[in-house]
Amino acid sequence: MVKVIVAGFKGSMGNKATHMVIDHDDFELVGVFDPTATEQKLSEIAEFAAYDVPVYQDYEQINTDQADVWIDFTVPQAVYTNTKFALEHGVRPVIGTTGLTDDQVVELQQIAKERKIGGLIAPNFGLSAVLLMQFAQQAAKYFPNVEIIEMHHDNKLDAPSGTAVATAKKIAEVREAHHQGNPDEKETLAGARGADYEGMKIHSVRLPGYVAHEQVLFGAPGEALTIRQDSFDRSSFMSGVAVAVAKVGTAQELLVGLENLL
């Protein structure tokens, strides 16, 4: 049994992750974490009435000797310290929270190396999103003119999404940086052309009714290619989280991207 702590269990993704761990035959929920929680036991919440596991509000309460994996769906302000805590206490992190800077990732990877422990930071746990990033990287070898549109619910805190940035990074690995479009173009409304990542434009849409969606648009003389993925329900991410929890024990370093465990 893989023993799991879920951080951010009161959020939408954390709630689904908690249910996934409970329902999985090979996982055992040994605790949940949220500094704002008032409960002492998860069973105090009606939907988890049958599960008498501890609710932790601070790190000092956590018995890390009883945990193998730390699932994190919290907030950008907390993800760095949460991941660092897990690594330093021998708990393998599976991080779905966005907001880590490149420098923070490098620092966390160094801690993992020193502690000889593996983990995973995943911009997206949806298998369709992981495949989209891989397909986009292949397409960019032949279609260097590309823009990204990501669409999410209107409660999302960060823009662009971690998935869009990860997609741009993967494309940049194989694409020669160059200026797209008219070199003399001017924005008559600031921001109309979107954010810029190494010459690629990223556009963020925030509307009610959406969950998580992304399009990567490639253009070339006389033709175009669009790659799109849609996540209509947050439950779609749980299969990827389950794969990560099951396989992260084989990781020898702090990996970035679910594709590294597939």
Side-chain angles (χ1 to χ4, degrees):
M1 298 288 283
V2 180
K3 298 180 179 180
V4 181
I5 292 173
V6 177
F9 74 101
K10 287 195 168 185
S12 297
M13 287 293 290
N15 176 277
K16 290 188 182 299
T18 302
H19 279 289
M20 182 277 292
V21 172
I22 288 171
D23 294 339
H24 200 290
D25 291 340
D26 296 325
F27 303 160
E28 179 185 354
L29 185 69
V30 296
V32 293
F33 176 78
D34 187 328
T36 67
T38 57
E39 300 84 3
Q40 299 300 311
K41 296 288 185 179
L42 187 61
S43 56
E44 295 173 43
I45 300 173
E47 65 183 296
F48 298 112
Y51 303 98
D52 194 34
V53 301
V55 175
Y56 301 120
Q57 289 88 24
D58 57 65
Y59 298 142
E60 289 72 20
Q61 297 172 321
I62 302 173
N63 184 353
T64 52
D65 292 338
Q66 294 184 353
D68 302 310
V69 173
W70 173 289
I71 296 177
D72 197 290
F73 285 110
T74 56
V75 293
Q77 305 93 295
V79 62
Y80 169 74
T81 53
N82 286 350
T83 309
K84 185 177 180 181
F85 170 82
L87 289 170
E88 290 181 340
H89 289 81
V91 183
R92 295 177 179 269
V94 171
I95 307 300
T97 312
T98 57
L100 289 168
T101 66
D102 290 343
D103 288 343
Q104 287 175 332
V105 172
V106 170
E107 182 179 343
L108 292 168
Q109 288 176 323
Q110 183 59 36
I111 294 172
K113 183 177 180 180
E114 292 171 356
R115 300 278 175 163
K116 298 180 179 179
I117 184 172
L120 176 72
I121 299 168
N124 198 307
F125 282 100
L127 297 180
S128 62
V130 172
L131 291 171
L132 174 141
M133 288 186 274
Q134 292 180 327
F135 296 158
Q137 186 179 51
Q138 291 301 310
K141 296 176 183 177
Y142 308 99
F143 295 91
N145 292 286
V146 54
E147 300 202 10
I148 298 169
I149 304 172
E150 55 94 351
M151 299 155 281
H152 284 78
H153 55 90
D154 57 342
N155 289 319
K156 186 170 176 59
L157 296 175
D158 57 327
S161 68
T163 304
V165 174
T167 303
K169 287 181 177 179
K170 282 193 168 295
I171 291 172
E173 291 175 5
V174 300
R175 169 187 177 272
E176 290 187 12
H178 69 285
H179 188 279
Q180 296 181 180
N182 190 327
D184 297 322
E185 72 178 7
K186 293 180 175 61
E187 291 182 332
T188 57
L189 286 175
R193 292 290 292 122
D196 187 285
Y197 185 90
E198 295 194 14
M200 291 174 277
K201 298 297 184 180
I202 304 177
H203 310 269
S204 296
V205 175
R206 297 290 178 267
L207 288 171
Y210 283 74
V211 177
H213 318 262
E214 183 174 322
Q215 295 184 76
V216 186
L217 288 71
F218 298 92
E223 62 181 331
L225 171 66
T226 300
I227 303 174
R228 174 172 178 143
Q229 71 83 212
D230 297 278
S231 298
F232 300 109
D233 189 278
R234 290 179 178 85
S235 60
S236 65
F237 303 123
M238 288 305 110
S239 59
V241 177
V243 168
V245 172
K247 293 189 175 183
V248 73
T250 65
Q252 302 301 310
E253 58 185 305
L254 182 58
L255 303 168
V256 179
L258 180 62
E259 65 273 14
N260 292 289
L261 292 178
L262 296 179

